Amino acid sequence: MTHNRVHAYYREQHADESSVVLTPEDVDALIDALAAGPEFANLAVLHSAERESLPSGFPDHEFMVGADGKRQVGVLSFMDEKNYVSFGSSGSNGSTVAYHVVENPTEFPTTAEVPLALVRQAAKEFLSSGGRRPLCVQWQEPEVW
């Protein structure tokens, strides 16, 4: 049985070596770590090893997963040829919410927040699909990003 491989960056030590996600249980551990961790480290950047790299050697995509354990919500973004963020029912009035990769904030529209269970499902789909944009999520193109 072969596993898809995803490289995750969400802690300072991942600057030197990424965390490797191979199984649905690894996805759960990642989401749990983000949800239980400090507020300034609640967003992970994921790249699938199953996709081709650009001529520069960089991945041709980026999948971001954020988790707010206190509120049991999170955010998702997917970037390749276009940028997308998750579309949830919470939030309104055009305001933003920040999630952080190692103290570096990324602002999302409040409408990007979705239930944490959907964040888990989407991350597992990203892993099992070889790095494709998850279909279990409604997506929106952010106005400014």
Side-chain angles (χ1 to χ4, degrees), residues 1-4 22-25:
M1 179 174 170
T2 59
H3 290 287
N4 290 322
L22 297 171
T23 67
E25 293 79 18

Side-chain angles (χ1 to χ4, degrees), residues 30-74:
L30 167 68
I31 303 298
D32 290 346
L34 294 172
E39 182 180 339
F40 59 85
N42 61 357
L43 183 66
V45 177
L46 282 64
H47 298 114
S48 174
E50 309 310 310
R51 291 182 56 144
E52 295 293 320
S53 294
L54 297 170
S56 64
F58 289 101
D60 71 343
H61 68 290
E62 182 173 274
F63 184 54
M64 296 176 85
V65 177
D68 182 331
K70 290 179 186 166
R71 296 178 33 242
Q72 290 296 297
V73 295

Side-chain angles (χ1 to χ4, degrees), residues 36-110:
E39 182 180 339
F40 59 85
N42 61 357
L43 183 66
V45 177
L46 282 64
H47 298 114
S48 174
E50 309 310 310
R51 291 182 56 144
E52 295 293 320
S53 294
L54 297 170
S56 64
F58 289 101
D60 71 343
H61 68 290
E62 182 173 274
F63 184 54
M64 296 176 85
V65 177
D68 182 331
K70 290 179 186 166
R71 296 178 33 242
Q72 290 296 297
V73 295
V75 292
L76 300 161
S77 74
F78 186 86
M79 292 169 258
D80 57 5
E81 295 172 9
K82 288 188 174 185
N83 295 336
Y84 298 96
V85 294
S86 46
F87 183 71
S89 59
S90 66
S92 60
N93 72 16
S95 60
T96 60
V97 61
Y99 284 75
H100 300 79
V101 178
V102 192
E103 299 184 19
N104 294 307
T106 300
E107 289 189 347
F108 293 84
T110 55

